[in-house]
């Protein structure tokens, strides 16, 4: 693979166009140039003092989508203003965020070198003085729905942040009753034709990029906190290779959250960033989502509904992908088969014995590969199987019965009650730390 690697990836410049409502990031890789455009409403406050710093962070994190086209050993920050801690976090963001990309392409990136940049310690900008105003990135799945319903009661002045426009997200967003701050991200057309251009392909830490866009939107809209919906198990490695964890969800992990918060503290301290679900399991989230029936007919987590190409987006749950099987499994302890069949268009994944291998992958079967997807960890999935199998209305499920027997034979499933308490560190503060977000 080394012969396909480029020589130098360079951060060129970032441009703000208030009248058009755009932030344009320019990069180059050897003799090829890339430009990415983030669109936000021109009516927002483009004179906000913290905007240049927020746009700079967006510029730094967005570069990963273009670096990976040829994955050179050298990243040149050009004249970009950075602090030493910015450079350290950026290196982590590239190495950990591209861990799956590196693994799938058999392309070690440990030799990465970051050079250039106007490196200096900077005084952070001013901290806004005013009431709490929350901005909640919203994807229409169970995690963000639970966070919205909790947050809007604690912080009445809350808004959704939505990147792009997808019908399932719009349907769920309408039910929240909250205003929306919108953004769109227009990738350079060259990366949408990776095969034609001979580029490497693979996963990038997109949640990190969307987090930077959300922070920029928060600055423009005078918001004080970006409230994420990333739960405890997002920090778990997807696979272990030579003792090194590779996490598909790195940019949803505690490690990313901590590093990004440090970066913000040095540049945009007026915006707090944290996940309201960080100490909680997916099982805890699913139990609470089950009590929100108004969302059950419209929520969507099937990734086929969010394809980059609108013509290839699925109109409904596909009912067979790894994300569909996980959502069915994690909700099965709390919703009846009839309720979940309604969600999945008449047949839930647990009704389909041909999907047994995918369920076993979620349960840690060493003969299967855990999917590179945003799914819970093995312990959560095993606990969900045992809890779902206790429901009388699921007594006749051959697949669930078989999975239960296998989990019991393994003998290492955590108890469901142990997953209903805070499980790790978090950055949740008042007023978000009230009630059952911490007890």
């Amino acid at each position: 693979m080394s012969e396909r690697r480029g020589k130098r990836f360079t951060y060129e410049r970032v441009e703000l166009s208030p009248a058009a409502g755009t932030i344009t990031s320019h990069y180059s890789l050897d003799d090829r140039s890339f430009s990415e455009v983030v669109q936000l409403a021109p009516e927002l406050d483009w004179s906000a003092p913290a905007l240049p710093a927020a746009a700079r962070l967006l510029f730094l994190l967005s570069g990963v989508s273009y670096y990976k086209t040829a994955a050179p050993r050298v990243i040149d920050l050009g004249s970009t203003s950075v602090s030493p801690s910015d450079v350290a976090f950026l290196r982590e963001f590239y190495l950990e965020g591209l861990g799956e990309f590196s693994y799938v392409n058999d392309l070690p990136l440990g030799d990465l070198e970051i050079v250039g940049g106007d490196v200096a310690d900077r005084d952070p900008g001013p901290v806004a003085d005013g009431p709490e105003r929350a901005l909640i990135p919203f994807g229409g799945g169970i995690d963000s729905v639970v966070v919205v319903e909790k947050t809007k009661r604690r912080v009445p002045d809350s808004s959704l942040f939505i990147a792009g426009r997808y019908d399932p997200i719009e349907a769920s967003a309408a039910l929240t009753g909250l205003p929306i701050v919108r953004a769109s991200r227009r990738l350079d057309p060259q990366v949408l034709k990776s095969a034609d251009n001979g580029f490497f392909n693979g996963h990038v830490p997109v949640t990190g990029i969307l987090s930077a866009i959300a922070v920029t939107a928060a600055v423009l809209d005078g918001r004080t906190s970006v409230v994420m919906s990333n739960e405890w198990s997002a920090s778990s490695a997807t696979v272990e290779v030579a003792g090194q964890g590779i996490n598909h969800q790195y940019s949803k992990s505690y490690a990313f959250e901590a590093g990004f918060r440090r970066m913000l503290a040095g540049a945009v301290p007026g915006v707090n960033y944290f996940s309201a679900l960080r100490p909680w399991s997916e099982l805890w989230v699913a139990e609470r989502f089950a009590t929100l029936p108004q969302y059950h007919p419209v929520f969507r987590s099937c990734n086929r509904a969010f394809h980059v190409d609108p013509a290839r987006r699925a109109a409904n749950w596909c009912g067979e992908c790894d994300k569909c099987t996980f959502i069915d499994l994690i909700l099965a302890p709390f919703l009846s088969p009839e309720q979940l069949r309604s969600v999945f268009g008449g047949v839930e994944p647990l009704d389909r014995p041909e999907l047994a291998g995918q369920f076993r992958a979620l349960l840690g079967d060493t003969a299967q590969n855990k999917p590179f997807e945003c799914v819970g960890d093995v312990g959560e999935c095993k606990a969900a199987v045992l809890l779902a199998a206790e429901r009388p209305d699921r007594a006749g499920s051959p697949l669930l019965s078989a999975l239960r027997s296998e989990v019991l034979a393994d003998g290492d499933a955590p108890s469901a009650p142990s997953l209903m308490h805070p499980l790790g560190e978090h950055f949740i503060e008042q007023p978000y730390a009230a009630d059952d977000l911490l007890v």
Side-chain angles (χ1 to χ4, degrees):
M1 288 287 187
S2 59
E3 67 276 6
R4 289 181 57 193
R5 295 184 70 178
K7 295 180 179 179
R8 181 177 294 257
F9 176 72
T10 303
Y11 283 79
E12 299 290 352
R13 66 192 184 282
V14 59
E15 299 174 341
L16 302 178
S17 300
T22 60
I23 300 172
T24 304
S25 298
H26 298 277
Y27 312 96
S28 64
L29 202 160
D30 297 337
D31 58 355
R32 191 184 290 270
S33 297
F34 299 98
S35 295
E36 173 173 313
V37 180
V38 171
Q39 175 81 56
L40 294 130
E43 296 78 17
L44 295 171
D45 183 11
W46 288 79
S47 66
L51 178 59
R56 179 181 58 81
L57 299 188
L58 170 59
F59 175 53
L60 286 171
L61 268 59
S62 295
V64 70
S65 296
Y66 306 97
Y67 166 84
K68 67 119 181 190
T69 60
R73 187 179 65 83
V74 177
I75 292 177
D76 187 344
L77 298 179
S79 60
T80 308
S81 175
V82 289
S83 69
S85 61
D86 290 341
V87 176
F89 175 68
L90 191 64
R91 179 177 174 81
E92 175 189 317
F93 181 69
Y94 270 82
L95 294 182
E96 299 295 330
L98 291 176
E100 177 185 336
F101 166 85
S102 172
Y103 170 71
V104 170
N105 286 285
D106 191 21
L107 181 64
L109 299 177
D111 60 354
L112 181 66
E113 181 182 359
I114 299 179
V115 302
D118 181 8
V119 180
D121 289 310
R122 297 185 311 274
D123 292 329
V127 177
D129 182 20
E132 185 66 17
R133 306 184 70 226
L135 187 66
I136 310 166
F138 188 75
I142 68 173
D143 298 328
S144 57
V145 165
V146 168
V147 167
V148 164
E149 289 300 313
K150 300 291 183 185
T151 301
K152 71 182 186 181
R153 293 200 298 270
R154 292 166 174 77
V155 182
D157 191 353
S158 294
S159 287
L160 305 182
F161 169 74
I162 297 179
R165 187 176 289 272
Y166 301 89
D167 290 343
I169 295 179
E170 299 302 314
S172 295
L175 291 177
T176 70
L178 295 181
I180 300 171
V181 179
R182 293 190 181 275
S184 65
R185 179 184 179 220
R186 188 165 72 244
L187 292 166
D188 190 294
Q190 295 173 90
V191 303
L192 302 178
K193 297 181 179 180
S194 292
D196 294 342
N197 288 313
F199 296 159
F200 290 117
N201 207 356
H203 176 74
V204 298
V206 68
T207 299
I209 299 168
L210 294 177
S211 294
I213 299 174
V215 165
T216 304
V219 168
L220 289 168
D221 197 43
R223 298 278 157 183
T224 56
S225 293
V226 173
V227 185
M228 301 297 290
S229 308
N230 304 321
E231 74 296 322
W232 166 76
S233 62
S235 299
S236 301
T238 307
V239 297
E240 296 276 348
V241 179
Q244 178 71 34
I246 296 173
N247 185 5
H248 171 79
Q249 299 190 79
Y250 161 72
S251 59
K252 294 184 177 182
S253 71
Y254 178 85
F256 171 83
E257 183 178 345
F260 189 55
R261 282 171 57 88
R262 289 193 297 271
M263 205 176 191
L264 282 178
V268 194
V271 178
N272 189 19
Y273 173 93
F274 68 96
S275 172
L277 296 181
R278 179 60 63 202
W280 298 108
S281 70
E282 287 274 21
L283 205 63
W284 183 94
V285 175
E287 183 180 45
R288 278 143 188 82
F289 179 78
T291 68
L292 302 170
Q294 67 272 33
Y295 290 98
H296 297 175
V298 297
F299 87 103
R300 193 80 58 81
S301 293
C302 175
N303 286 340
R304 297 182 187 179
F306 303 105
H307 199 282
V308 173
D309 182 355
R312 298 179 62 185
R313 292 176 189 165
N316 301 294
W317 295 82
C318 74
E320 61 185 20
C321 70
D322 295 312
K323 197 64 181 286
C324 283
T325 54
F326 171 70
I327 293 296
D328 188 35
L329 178 60
I330 207 69
L331 288 174
F334 312 110
L335 296 176
S336 70
E338 290 72 22
Q339 289 172 303
L340 284 169
R341 286 170 189 148
S342 177
V343 167
F344 289 100
V347 180
E348 67 169 325
L350 281 168
D351 289 331
R352 302 177 59 178
E354 70 271 21
L355 299 180
Q358 286 170 247
F359 282 106
R360 289 186 176 114
L362 294 173
L363 298 171
D365 185 341
T366 56
Q368 311 288 336
N369 292 319
K370 183 180 179 183
F372 281 112
E373 282 284 359
C374 295
V375 296
D377 75 357
V378 168
E380 290 175 315
C381 293
K382 288 184 174 182
V385 165
L386 297 183
L387 200 57
E390 293 176 2
R391 291 181 62 105
D393 57 5
R394 292 191 174 274
S397 169
L399 177 53
L400 184 59
S401 177
L403 295 174
R404 174 183 179 274
S405 296
E406 292 166 14
V407 169
L408 289 175
D410 288 341
D412 60 352
S415 68
S418 71
L419 295 173
M420 296 304 188
H421 300 283
L423 297 169
E425 297 180 273
H426 60 84
F427 298 104
I428 308 170
E429 301 173 349
Q430 294 291 351
Y432 304 93
D435 302 335
D436 59 352
L437 279 178
L438 282 182
V439 299

